[in-house]
Amino acid sequence: MKINFRKLVLNGLYEEAIFYYTKLHSTNAIPNTFYFDYPSIFKACKKLTLVSTGVQIHTHVIKTGFSSDVFIATSITDMYMKSGFFKGGANMFDEMTHRNIASVNSVISGLSQNGYFSESLLVFKNVGIGGFKPNSVTLASVLPACERLKNGLEIHGLAVKFGVEMDIYVATSLLTMYFNCKELVSGLKVFKLIQDKSVVCYNALLSGFVQNGLPVFVLKFFKEMRQVLEENPSIATLVSVLSACSDALNLRFGKQVHCLVLKHTAGSDVMVGTTLVDMYSKSGCWKDAYDIFKEMGDSRNLMTWNSMISGMMFNGKCEMAVELFEQLELVGLEPDSSSWNSMISGFSRLGKGIEAFHFFNKMQLAGITPSLQSVTSLLSACSVLYALRSGREIHAHTIRTAIEADEFISTSLIDMYMKCGFTSSARKVFDHGERTEDPAIWNAMISGYGTNGKHDFAHEIFDLMLKEGVIPNSCTFVGLLSACSHTGNVAKGWELFRTMDRNFGMKPNSEHFGCMVDLLGRDGRLDEAWNLIQEIAEPSSSVYASLLGACRLHLNADLGEEIVVRLLELEPGDPSPFVILSNIYAGQGRWKDVERIRDIMRDKGLRKLPGCSLIEVTENSTCV
């Protein structure tokens, strides 16, 4: 029986092609004309990532004397390169006595796809030396290696020179390159110039928008795609759109895409299923996410489990997250760095620092290297718990693992030390850390000094920030105004408040107004603070609460009563305003009004919750 291997591979029947080849070889029934079928067999090995099988067939080729043929040698090189066996691919390429542009393209493409960008560019630059003229495949293969815009522009120029810039593969690669380099306008221009748009180029566009944090544009162009193309969306399309729905918290659109998934029977794909789990989880529908997770059954991979664990943590279902985490080993999966990070960051975000540290210790015992996300999450937990000793242990870990200089780590360390009251330790981290144009690390210093009542140091950091050319943002002024509030420096507060618009073109928001209200209230300027609140379009409850606290300090019952009315409109279930007003009455000796407030609270079913503190005692933390 004559078998058409080329047809089998073209139809995606890779396993069948390998099976029939193995059968022919075992019976020594491979004809001399099989020379023409070897490229197809090596392509099947590449598609199935069967490197060991490819090596065996390569050995057969050497024995038959066909390895010197440029077409077979190119298919072997391509198989090795695309399967991640770079040494084998490079050796095969070096041994080729005769090369063509196809063999060069396979090396460039293999290096690019596996992240060896500089090597891919180097091979491309030597194309001309070998006497080859780059074609559209060459340019499309090297464009993913262009991490720098300069290199991408050079390749774009060559594409124009050779007249292939509108080739569908080159144009799609150009589009991806521009989006990777954050040149969205240029990328969109390339997309609009493509005449015969396909699902492939739309996928590149949608993926680029997701990558650059623009989910609204993903949904817009997906709608356009559905209108202009007759082709059904691919798996890659659905994953990009569902990711965008997740990022944009657009549950309604996500449900419509879910229906489309079911219509085109793409729900069985593990990537689509995992993205659906993530989308429903982030939209607060953890039960729907869990139902999809269970329906996926045996098709679930570690990424699916991690997404479900993260989703449970995101929705505050930490017990279910722990249960899922413990089930990983039962289903034959080993927790990776992402699994541990989901548990650690989840507990930290929920304020369960002790549990976060428990999983951090377990992760280290399991031999998993903590990621930057895990470390920053733990430092945040230390800040919340005021756990200085634990924070110092984490700091020591960052020094041992040489990640202390990372800006995110430095900022988290500063925040932890400041909240624990150790400003000198925070300053040491700041002085030795790397500082960029990002104001985050500066803001941590300013805010920390302000919280610790060191107003002068906060302004010293601000002056140094301006001197080094770092542009302050909204958070910078929140920290500065809070520092003024903690020290009662009204004049400096007003100066900074006016400076925002005058010197930096920044309109104060409700948070800045809230800081000024707090500052004026602490200084006893209650009427001035009340008038300032009237300038806020929609005052938040925190602004009113700040002024109510000042009324408590200065025993101003009349203004306090007005503020309580406003707070009840915003948060009718919060008992705090009544408690504070009752304290104001008590301070004035108005005991009948105190009783009246208590009766109102009783009628409304409101009661003050008892407070608790967490104190670090040797190795244990105790609630009192």
Side-chain angles (χ1 to χ4, degrees):
M1 179 180 70
K2 182 173 174 58
I3 300 166
N4 190 331
F5 285 94
R6 186 171 179 273
K7 189 174 182 181
L8 285 174
V9 172
L10 282 174
N11 290 324
L13 301 173
Y14 309 123
E15 292 180 355
E16 288 80 354
I18 299 294
F19 171 77
Y20 285 119
Y21 171 81
T22 305
K23 190 174 182 180
L24 283 173
H25 183 266
S26 64
T27 57
N28 293 317
I30 296 178
N32 293 330
T33 55
F34 200 81
Y35 161 93
F36 297 103
D37 292 315
Y38 274 118
S40 297
I41 296 298
F42 284 117
K43 183 177 180 180
C45 292
K46 176 185 71 176
K47 292 292 185 181
L48 297 172
T49 324
L50 294 175
V51 181
S52 58
T53 303
V55 170
Q56 292 175 8
I57 300 173
H58 185 185
T59 304
H60 304 162
V61 169
I62 294 172
K63 289 179 179 178
T64 56
F66 291 144
S67 60
S68 60
D69 179 82
V70 66
F71 297 104
I72 294 178
T74 297
S75 65
I76 295 171
T77 302
D78 189 55
M79 184 266 296
Y80 282 141
M81 285 302 220
K82 301 291 174 60
S83 300
F85 186 32
F86 306 112
K87 186 177 180 180
N91 290 340
M92 190 68 217
F93 184 71
D94 291 338
E95 291 170 5
M96 291 174 68
T97 54
H98 301 288
R99 298 171 183 164
N100 58 15
I101 192 63
S103 57
V104 174
N105 289 347
S106 67
V107 174
I108 292 173
S109 177
L111 291 170
S112 292
Q113 289 181 18
N114 288 279
Y116 291 88
F117 300 140
S118 57
E119 292 83 353
S120 178
L121 287 168
L122 183 62
V123 173
F124 173 76
K125 288 176 181 177
N126 291 326
V127 168
I129 298 174
F132 305 117
K133 179 184 176 181
N135 58 19
S136 60
V137 178
T138 316
L139 300 180
S141 298
V142 77
L143 276 166
C146 297
E147 292 181 290
R148 296 169 57 195
L149 181 61
K150 179 185 176 183
N151 293 332
L153 290 171
E154 289 174 356
I155 306 299
H156 194 169
L158 287 173
V160 174
K161 180 181 177 180
F162 297 143
V164 295
E165 74 275 15
M166 284 301 102
D167 175 271
I168 188 67
Y169 297 108
V170 175
T172 302
S173 296
L174 282 169
L175 164 63
T176 302
M177 180 274 295
Y178 280 122
F179 270 85
N180 288 341
C181 294
K182 310 297 181 185
E183 293 288 329
L184 276 60
V185 174
S186 298
L188 201 52
K189 284 181 180 177
V190 170
F191 176 78
K192 289 180 178 179
L193 289 172
I194 300 174
Q195 295 297 320
D196 299 318
K197 295 182 177 67
S198 66
V199 169
V200 174
C201 58
Y202 266 103
N203 285 349
L205 181 71
L206 300 180
S207 175
F209 280 129
V210 170
Q211 177 185 322
N212 285 277
L214 296 169
V216 176
F217 285 93
V218 177
L219 306 186
K220 174 187 174 184
F221 280 95
F222 176 66
K223 290 177 183 177
E224 176 189 298
M225 172 187 164
R226 296 286 292 157
Q227 292 171 351
V228 300
L229 294 184
E230 293 182 0
E231 296 176 80
N232 289 325
S234 67
I235 296 298
T237 316
L238 296 170
V239 168
S240 291
V241 177
L242 287 169
S243 297
C245 293
S246 178
D247 294 339
L249 299 179
N250 193 332
L251 180 59
R252 182 179 178 183
F253 200 102
K255 286 184 174 181
Q256 293 174 355
V257 178
H258 189 182
C259 291
L260 191 65
V261 167
L262 297 174
K263 180 179 177 182
H264 295 294
T265 65
S268 58
D269 181 83
V270 65
M271 280 301 298
V272 173
T274 301
T275 313
L276 280 167
V277 168
D278 183 66
M279 187 268 294
Y280 279 114
S281 294
K282 288 182 179 176
S283 299
C285 301
W286 66 270
K287 289 183 179 179
D288 294 318
Y290 192 52
D291 287 342
I292 293 169
F293 175 77
K294 290 188 292 185
E295 288 171 7
M296 291 176 69
D298 294 336
S299 68
R300 298 175 300 201
N301 58 19
L302 184 57
M303 189 181 296
T304 314
W305 282 83
N306 287 345
S307 182
M308 192 68 258
I309 290 169
S310 177
M312 288 300 183
M313 278 295 190
F314 182 82
N315 288 278
K317 303 296 177 182
C318 50
E319 291 182 1
M320 293 188 72
V322 171
E323 185 179 330
L324 288 167
F325 184 87
E326 291 174 346
Q327 287 178 19
L328 282 173
E329 292 187 7
L330 297 177
V331 296
L333 295 173
E334 187 175 339
D336 63 359
S337 179
S338 180
S339 314
W340 292 101
N341 289 341
S342 294
M343 299 302 293
I344 294 167
S345 60
F347 278 124
S348 296
R349 190 174 57 250
L350 294 169
K352 298 178 179 291
I354 296 171
E355 290 85 347
F357 274 99
H358 172 68
F359 271 89
F360 178 73
N361 292 330
K362 286 182 68 175
M363 177 173 67
Q364 289 185 303
L365 290 173
I368 304 294
T369 303
S371 69
L372 292 179
Q373 183 186 357
S374 294
V375 176
T376 52
S377 295
L378 283 170
L379 287 169
S380 297
C382 291
S383 299
V384 173
L385 297 171
Y386 304 104
L388 178 64
R389 188 177 64 82
S390 298
R392 282 179 167 164
E393 290 175 0
I394 300 299
H395 190 179
H397 169 81
T398 66
I399 295 171
R400 287 196 305 272
T401 53
I403 60 173
E404 181 194 20
D406 179 85
E407 192 170 3
F408 290 105
I409 295 294
S410 297
T411 303
S412 298
L413 283 168
I414 289 168
D415 182 63
M416 182 273 295
Y417 279 124
M418 284 295 191
K419 286 180 178 174
C420 291
F422 279 69
T423 57
S424 58
S425 297
R427 186 59 183 260
K428 286 179 183 177
V429 173
F430 177 77
D431 289 339
H432 290 93
E434 294 180 4
R435 300 200 292 267
T436 64
E437 294 181 356
D438 188 344
I441 193 168
W442 300 85
N443 294 345
M445 288 297 295
I446 291 169
S447 176
Y449 275 135
T451 303
N452 285 280
K454 298 192 175 184
H455 172 269
D456 293 337
F457 285 103
H459 287 283
E460 176 196 326
I461 294 293
F462 180 62
D463 292 338
L464 182 60
M465 178 184 187
L466 298 179
K467 185 178 179 180
E468 293 194 12
V470 180
I471 300 173
N473 60 12
S474 175
C475 293
T476 311
F477 284 98
V478 169
L480 288 166
L481 291 171
S482 295
C484 293
S485 180
H486 282 94
T487 55
N489 195 334
V490 177
K492 188 66 177 178
W494 273 121
E495 179 189 334
L496 288 165
F497 190 74
R498 297 187 182 102
T499 295
M500 289 180 64
D501 191 14
R502 186 176 63 238
N503 294 1
F504 300 98
M506 198 182 302
K507 296 290 183 184
N509 59 29
S510 60
E511 202 168 1
H512 301 116
F513 275 100
C515 290
M516 283 304 300
V517 168
D518 185 60
L519 171 58
L520 294 169
R522 286 171 185 251
D523 198 53
R525 305 185 186 188
L526 303 183
D527 291 336
E528 194 174 346
W530 178 250
N531 292 333
L532 187 62
I533 288 179
Q534 309 314 308
E535 297 182 26
I536 307 175
E538 293 182 4
S540 65
S541 58
S542 61
V543 173
Y544 283 121
S546 176
L547 187 53
L548 183 59
C551 291
R552 165 71 180 88
L553 181 65
H554 299 285
L555 297 179
N556 189 326
D558 293 337
L559 182 57
E561 289 169 354
E562 178 67 27
I563 295 170
V564 168
V565 171
R566 302 291 180 92
L567 280 170
L568 287 175
E569 293 174 358
L570 295 172
E571 297 181 353
D574 185 6
S576 301
F578 286 115
V579 174
I580 296 172
L581 184 58
S582 175
N583 290 336
I584 294 174
Y585 289 144
Q588 293 178 334
R590 296 166 57 177
W591 302 109
K592 288 185 178 180
D593 288 321
V594 171
E595 286 297 324
R596 178 172 58 84
I597 292 297
R598 288 180 178 173
D599 289 340
I600 293 173
M601 289 180 66
R602 196 178 300 112
D603 292 341
K604 290 180 176 289
L606 301 175
R607 57 187 294 269
K608 181 185 176 183
L609 296 175
C612 72
S613 300
L614 193 122
I615 304 171
E616 189 176 42
V617 181
T618 62
E619 296 184 357
N620 300 312
S621 295
T622 309
C623 284
V624 296

